[in-house]
């Protein structure tokens, strides 16, 4: 009779770990607290499922900040090329866009997830829905289930419970208290890939929902080309997300509203508008209504001298109150520290228990990086948990 292994959490990391354990000969059970698996993956796929970023390993690793060193061997085993091959093996052809982002041809998550779940079912993996993990009782795992309290004694276990954002989809971070009681070292949760809180005046209301395009955004030592959207509570959008670590630490957000012009060239353009009203000068310089409003909101009174105004528009400081709250972020930083696990992602404080995905303390911007690392750490933990058992 095959030994049992349990995976707690049916997101991408958990499903990947389950497949590795099943192929190694274990009778695998997945416990999922929600009524259906991979809800966050399905939500992400509504706007086009970006499964990875096809770029050289150095560029890829740079997106993982301080976690790059320890994630490097894990991503080397399952990086962008492997993610693409995995999706296509599930019957989901992919294509690479001009930015290097990789998408399924159908652009949706549901066909990929259905194929993945069918593969796992074919490997004998059993899914237990509405099973919420409540902790340990000695060697046992404890669950609240529709049938009441249940305890099981598996070996091994892979925890893949997600971070602490989007709790309505299942990632509520409640596991942190359980692991803390077991002596597992944790880094505090913090929002990642989050919008920015700004207390606008009533002057900005008519611009809520307007896009700010063609920007160069910077905070701390991070700078990039991108876009943002003015919202009732501040700014949001993909251009901000890579800046979240710096903004979270209190760095000033600066916007270059003319990234294709030098300061000197912009000053020369502004000199031709000298003497007009501030709003008229901004319009004639080439700013649309949303950008004009932003400048007037955060930088009045504007300098009259062209060189000074050009410097301001090339380095516009935007005061803010930090990222949106944790549960409103796309992902989270913090969680189980690297020091708390061995090279196989096994908890040092709890041998036989492995951790994968967003439970671990790493972060990365959107654009395929999050999903790639979840898949890679799930595969790595699953293989390590299998302990070298021969495939079926």
């Amino acid at each position: 009779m095959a030994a049992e292994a349990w995976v707690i959490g049916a997101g991408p990391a958990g499903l990947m770990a389950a497949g590795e354990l099943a192929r190694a000969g274990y009778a695998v059970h997945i416990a999922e607290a929600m009524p259906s698996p991979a809800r966050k993956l399905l939500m992400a796929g509504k706007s086009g499922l970006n499964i990875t970023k096809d770029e050289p390993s150095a560029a890829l690793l740079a997106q993982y900040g301080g976690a790059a060193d320890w994630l490097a061997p894990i991503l080397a085993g399952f990086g962008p090329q492997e993610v693409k091959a995995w999706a296509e093996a599930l019957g989901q052809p992919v294509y690479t866009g001009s930015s290097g982002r990789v998408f399924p041809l159908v652009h949706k998550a549901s066909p990929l997830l259905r194929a993945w779940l069918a593969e796992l079912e074919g490997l004998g993996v059993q899914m237990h829905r509405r099973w919420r993990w409540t902790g340990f009782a000695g060697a046992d795992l404890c669950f609240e289930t529709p049938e009441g309290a249940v305890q099981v004694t598996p070996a091994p276990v892979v925890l893949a419970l997600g971070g602490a954002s989007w709790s309505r989809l299942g990632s509520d971070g409640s596991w942190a208290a359980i692991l803390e009681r077991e002596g597992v070292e944790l880094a505090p949760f913090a929002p990642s890939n989050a919008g920015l809180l700004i207390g606008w005046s009533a002057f900005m209301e008519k611009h809520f929902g307007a896009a700010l395009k063609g920007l160069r955004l910077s905070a701390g030592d991070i700078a990039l080309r991108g876009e943002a959207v003015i919202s009732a509570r501040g700014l949001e959008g993909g251009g901000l997300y890579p800046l979240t670590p710096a903004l979270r630490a209190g760095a000033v957000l600066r916007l270059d509203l003319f990234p294709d012009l030098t300061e000197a060239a912009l000053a020369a353009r502004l000199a031709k508008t000298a003497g007009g009203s501030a709003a008229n000068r901004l319009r004639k310089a080439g700013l649309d209504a949303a950008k004009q409003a932003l400048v007037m909101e955060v930088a009045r009174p504007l300098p009259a001298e062209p060189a000074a105004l050009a410097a301001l528009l090339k380095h516009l400081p935007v005061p803010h109150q930090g990222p949106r709250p944790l549960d409103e972020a796309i992902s989270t930083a913090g969680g189980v520290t690297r020091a708390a696990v061995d090279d196989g992602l096994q908890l040092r404080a709890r041998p036989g228990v492995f951790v994968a995905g967003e439970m671990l303390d790493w972060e990365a911007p959107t654009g395929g990086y999050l999903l790639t690392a979840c898949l890679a750490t799930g595969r790595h933990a699953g293989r390590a948990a299998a302990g070298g058992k021969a495939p079926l």
Side-chain angles (χ1 to χ4, degrees):
M1 185 176 178
E4 286 193 353
W6 281 70
V7 175
I8 305 178
L15 296 179
M16 186 62 74
E20 295 298 326
L21 285 160
R23 279 185 283 271
Y26 283 92
V28 180
H29 299 262
I30 301 176
E32 169 55 47
M34 303 299 284
S36 57
R39 289 192 166 195
K40 195 171 180 181
L41 178 71
L42 290 172
M43 177 65 77
K46 284 190 173 182
S47 57
L49 183 64
N50 182 191
I51 62 173
T52 192
K53 181 73 177 292
D54 193 352
E55 61 187 3
S57 60
L60 180 83
L61 287 171
Q63 301 299 322
Y64 296 94
D69 286 347
W70 67 265
L71 282 174
I74 297 174
L75 290 166
F78 202 80
Q81 302 310 315
E82 289 78 14
V83 173
K84 291 195 293 182
W86 162 78
E88 293 189 335
L90 289 173
Q92 301 301 308
V94 301
Y95 74 95
T96 303
S98 58
S99 66
R101 295 185 178 193
V102 179
F103 301 86
L105 282 179
V106 295
H107 266 262
K108 296 179 181 178
S110 51
L112 176 66
L113 180 59
R114 284 195 298 269
W116 196 1
L117 293 175
E119 179 190 62
L120 293 175
E121 185 178 3
L123 290 169
V125 175
Q126 296 184 49
M127 182 81 66
H128 303 274
R129 293 170 169 81
R130 294 189 174 90
W131 277 45
R132 179 172 294 278
W133 181 53
T134 58
F136 299 99
D140 289 358
L141 297 170
C142 302
F143 297 94
E144 291 177 355
T145 80
E147 291 74 38
V150 172
Q151 289 186 202
V152 298
T153 311
V157 179
V158 177
L159 303 178
L161 289 147
S165 64
W166 292 15
S167 60
R168 68 189 185 280
L169 301 179
S171 299
D172 60 10
S174 60
W175 52 265
I178 297 173
L179 294 189
E180 197 167 35
R181 290 195 296 269
E182 297 293 318
V184 177
E185 182 182 85
L186 303 174
F189 290 125
S192 186
N193 291 299
L196 197 60
L197 291 170
I198 300 172
W200 303 121
S201 71
F203 169 74
M204 292 295 289
E205 287 182 9
K206 61 184 175 184
H207 299 286
F208 292 167
L212 300 169
K213 298 184 178 182
L215 303 174
R216 183 171 177 82
L217 306 94
S218 63
D221 58 0
I222 307 171
L224 70 153
R225 293 288 289 261
E227 300 180 0
V229 175
I230 301 171
S231 72
R233 298 171 63 195
L235 293 174
E236 53 192 67
L240 288 167
Y241 298 157
L243 305 179
T244 306
L247 295 171
R248 196 172 61 222
V252 175
L253 172 65
R254 295 187 184 276
L255 303 180
D256 181 349
L257 303 180
F258 293 90
D260 296 320
L261 291 179
T262 65
E263 278 191 35
L266 180 57
R269 180 184 291 185
L270 290 167
K272 298 175 183 177
T273 69
S277 69
N280 201 41
R281 294 186 74 192
L282 295 177
R283 180 182 61 79
K284 288 185 175 182
L287 293 185
D288 61 26
K291 289 180 180 177
Q292 291 174 45
L294 179 64
V295 174
M296 300 297 283
E297 173 77 4
V298 304
R300 283 183 294 179
L302 303 185
E305 202 276 318
L309 182 55
L312 175 68
L313 299 179
K314 292 284 288 180
H315 307 277
L316 183 69
V318 181
H320 63 85
Q321 291 81 52
R324 297 273 284 270
L326 188 65
D327 195 46
E328 297 177 26
I330 290 176
S331 60
T332 51
V336 177
T337 67
R338 174 62 182 90
V341 295
D342 64 16
D343 289 345
L345 304 182
Q346 178 178 217
L347 290 174
R348 299 184 190 278
R350 192 86 196 193
V353 179
F354 298 75
V355 180
E358 280 195 69
M359 288 183 70
L360 293 160
D361 181 22
W362 59 272
E363 63 178 313
T366 57
Y369 304 110
L370 290 170
L371 183 54
T372 297
C374 285
L375 294 171
T377 56
R379 172 184 179 270
H380 189 81
R383 290 194 165 194
K389 283 177 66 71
L392 289 171

